[in-house]
Amino acid sequence: MAQWTSAVGAAQLARLLKSQQERPAGPGTRRPPAYRALADGVRLLVLEGRVPVAARLPAERELALSLSVSRTTVAAAYEALRAEGFLESRRGAGSWTAVPAGNPLPARGLEPLPPEALGSMIDLGCAALPAPEPWLTRAVRGALEELPPYAHTHGDYPAGLPALRTMIAERYSTRGIPTMPEQIMVTTGAMGAIDAICHLFAGRGERIAVESPSYANILQLMREAGARLVPVAMAEGLTGWDMDRWRQVLREAAPRIAYVVADFHNPTGALADEDQRRRLVEAARSAGTVLVADETMTELWLDEEIAGVMPRPVCGFDPAGSTVITVGSASKAFWAGMRIGWVRAAPDVIRSLVAARAYADLGTPVLEQLAVNWLFSTGGWESAVEVRRAQARENRDALVTAVRRELPDWEFEVPQGGLTLWVRAGGLSGSRLAEAGERVGVRVPSGPRFGVDGAFEGYVRLPFTVGGAVAEEAAVRLAAAARLVESGGTAGTEAPRTFVA
């Protein structure tokens, strides 16, 4: 019986391998043999989760033709992978990927680092900050005071608590977008909202247009839903969207859904201007594409000069919600542990989402909804978000200073909001930097996690989750990882030391 559960074609694997661009070797640098380079490339793809564990690899002859190398080279690479525990084979069943005994399965998203690893590892993988106290505690206490009447009910509110739906609708109306409670559904985080939208509008095999790069966890959610992702390159720097490319994709590919982050885009930090928003809504309407606008970063402006000139929300150009579906969340602006999100759309869309929810999670936890409602209704939300902005601003500035000092060849623009820095890593492979970072005690996600088909190999994403001395130590460890990659992994390294901020 075959042990593989999926398959990777020769052309697909060749494309992924070719995306792993490296800095040209300097004088005196020894290149590894071709079979070793191939084995290392496949191993990195498995460790990154871009090639799943238990995926059947192409036959040696097929891969050799796709890579334009000898079959002997592929055979030697496969043998090296088998010796290291990254490949298993059986006569008649082929070869499939594996991980050595004792190694954790690679994560395909950006999961938080386990608490037991925090003593020795600096975590730059998850773009989330600690709770903005005392507001979390106050919100939970306020929720407990409001809980008794709800405890006498069944507790299932598929559309969300009426009080919270009304409050969210009022907040949109205050922003100049008249909204009724019937246009709101409360979800379990933004991920729950987007998952519900994808299942309603985009069946298996449907096209979804996405910014390139885009948020890694959303890309993976869409892949696992069976979507065909159509990448649309962002404009250079922090200038937002390339509208010529968007119009072309919407016209020619006719995607069912387009997913965008207009405000402090994850991972680049870009902010789309008002004209871009208007033109994208018009283009989506003309193409019959549902435009999903992710607003999870909207309130995380960090520089005062941008606060008073923020563009109108994307849904401001489609107030009835016939083209634009807006997704919001408490997880980024407040705390990742507060798994409350929401959808704003036309009432008929909300009714369809609510009806479909009966076969998913039934509803969102009541206590957390009451906590967010307490924050919204008491002014606690604004105070908590100000704490969050101050944390993120201080961390951003510390990280930028440290990276510029330790890694002057790395290139990036400093965003005015959000939680992430998108960095071109001086010609180095982001995948290899991520692997080397694990060895020196800093966890960093590589660029290809945020792209489609291996794009952005030369990038890493650095979130504003650490500051002060920890940010300085993170930059030192990233520099050590860079030296490891430059030396081909042969430079000596010290074991990561325990670091307590």
Side-chain angles (χ1 to χ4, degrees):
M1 179 179 177
Q3 301 297 306
W4 49 273
T5 57
S6 62
V8 180
Q12 179 187 6
L13 183 56
R15 185 168 62 250
L16 290 170
L17 288 164
K18 288 176 181 178
S19 74
Q20 296 176 333
Q21 300 298 321
E22 293 186 84
R23 174 181 288 175
T29 301
R30 296 181 60 186
R31 289 188 177 276
Y35 86 90
R36 183 70 261 172
L38 175 55
D40 286 347
V42 173
R43 177 172 52 82
L44 274 173
L45 291 172
V46 173
L47 289 172
E48 284 250 305
R50 289 190 284 144
V51 169
V53 174
R56 188 178 188 273
L57 295 187
E60 294 170 3
R61 188 185 302 276
E62 294 175 11
L63 186 57
L65 287 171
S66 291
L67 293 174
S68 299
V69 299
S70 71
R71 182 176 177 180
T72 302
T73 296
V74 177
Y78 278 16
E79 183 57 37
L81 289 166
R82 277 190 287 269
E84 295 164 2
F86 285 94
L87 197 68
E88 296 181 10
S89 303
R90 180 176 297 172
R91 185 178 297 277
S95 299
W96 56 91
T97 56
V99 291
N103 277 37
L105 288 175
R108 303 197 71 179
L110 304 178
E111 81 295 348
L113 192 68
E116 61 269 19
L118 292 174
S120 60
M121 185 74 69
I122 297 176
D123 186 10
L124 297 181
C126 186
L129 289 162
E133 288 287 31
W135 298 105
L136 174 61
T137 299
R138 292 178 181 177
V140 173
R141 287 174 177 165
L144 287 171
E145 292 176 359
E146 299 292 331
L147 183 61
Y150 295 93
H152 295 291
T153 73
H154 49 63
D156 287 335
Y157 295 87
L161 294 184
L164 181 56
R165 295 176 72 195
T166 299
M167 184 60 67
I168 294 171
E170 289 177 358
R171 290 175 66 83
Y172 277 107
S173 297
T174 300
R175 294 168 67 188
I177 306 151
T179 302
M180 303 178 294
E182 291 79 9
Q183 291 178 262
I184 301 296
M185 180 177 83
V186 180
T187 63
T188 307
M191 292 287 289
I194 294 168
D195 182 57
I197 293 166
C198 288
H199 279 89
L200 179 63
F201 285 97
R204 185 166 293 275
E206 292 275 10
R207 294 185 181 92
I208 299 180
V210 294
E211 296 153 323
S212 184
S214 187
Y215 179 36
N217 287 341
I218 293 296
L219 295 180
Q220 190 56 33
L221 181 155
M222 292 174 175
R223 290 188 188 102
E224 293 183 357
R228 298 163 59 190
L229 301 184
V230 182
V232 185
M234 297 287 289
E236 287 297 317
L238 300 176
T239 54
W241 302 317
D242 185 322
M243 289 309 305
D244 289 338
R245 288 175 177 167
W246 268 108
R247 279 194 296 269
Q248 180 182 1
V249 166
L250 292 175
R251 181 176 63 251
E252 296 178 0
R256 187 70 183 92
I257 292 176
Y259 168 77
V260 296
V261 184
D263 302 302
F264 311 121
H265 173 260
N266 186 356
T268 68
L271 178 67
D273 65 33
E274 197 154 303
D275 184 58
Q276 289 171 327
R277 298 171 192 230
R278 178 187 297 106
R279 291 160 64 196
L280 184 58
V281 171
E282 291 172 352
R285 184 181 293 118
S286 297
T289 297
V290 175
L291 186 59
V292 180
D294 186 335
E295 286 193 337
T296 53
M297 297 285 189
T298 296
E299 297 188 67
L300 288 177
W301 50 264
L302 304 182
D303 296 335
E304 291 295 336
E305 57 266 29
I306 198 69
V309 292
M310 283 288 292
R312 274 188 292 170
V314 176
C315 61
F317 302 98
D318 178 49
S322 58
T323 297
V324 177
I325 298 178
T326 302
V327 172
S329 172
S331 298
K332 293 297 184 185
F334 185 74
W335 183 46
M338 188 67 76
R339 305 304 304 161
I340 298 295
W342 53 86
V343 177
R344 181 198 180 275
D348 62 317
V349 172
I350 295 297
R351 286 193 294 270
S352 297
L353 288 170
V354 171
R357 194 173 194 180
Y359 308 101
D361 64 353
L362 293 179
T364 301
V366 170
L367 189 63
E368 293 184 26
Q369 292 188 71
L370 289 172
V372 172
N373 192 59
W374 183 92
L375 288 166
F376 284 158
S377 61
T378 63
W381 177 267
E382 285 70 25
S383 298
V385 171
E386 187 53 48
V387 171
R388 170 65 75 241
R389 290 192 192 108
Q391 289 174 318
R393 184 185 305 116
E394 182 178 332
N395 289 355
R396 179 197 63 180
D397 296 346
L399 187 64
V400 165
T401 299
V403 171
R404 282 178 170 164
R405 181 183 65 245
E406 299 293 335
L407 293 150
D409 291 339
W410 287 20
E411 302 171 47
F412 54 86
E413 292 189 43
V414 182
Q416 293 185 293
L419 290 172
T420 57
L421 200 64
W422 186 237
V423 181
R424 183 182 286 114
L428 300 180
S429 160
S431 298
R432 286 174 167 77
L433 280 167
E435 184 189 30
E438 297 279 349
R439 294 165 60 184
V440 300
V442 61
R443 182 171 180 265
V444 57
S446 65
R449 292 191 175 217
F450 303 89
V452 176
D453 288 336
F456 308 109
E457 184 59 53
Y459 288 79
V460 292
R461 188 195 74 170
L462 305 181
F464 312 144
T465 53
V466 297
V470 186
E472 294 180 7
E473 177 67 13
V476 168
R477 295 186 187 187
L478 285 171
R483 289 192 296 271
L484 261 181
V485 174
E486 288 176 319
S487 68
T490 60
T493 59
E494 298 178 359
R497 56 184 181 267
T498 300
F499 190 84
V500 180

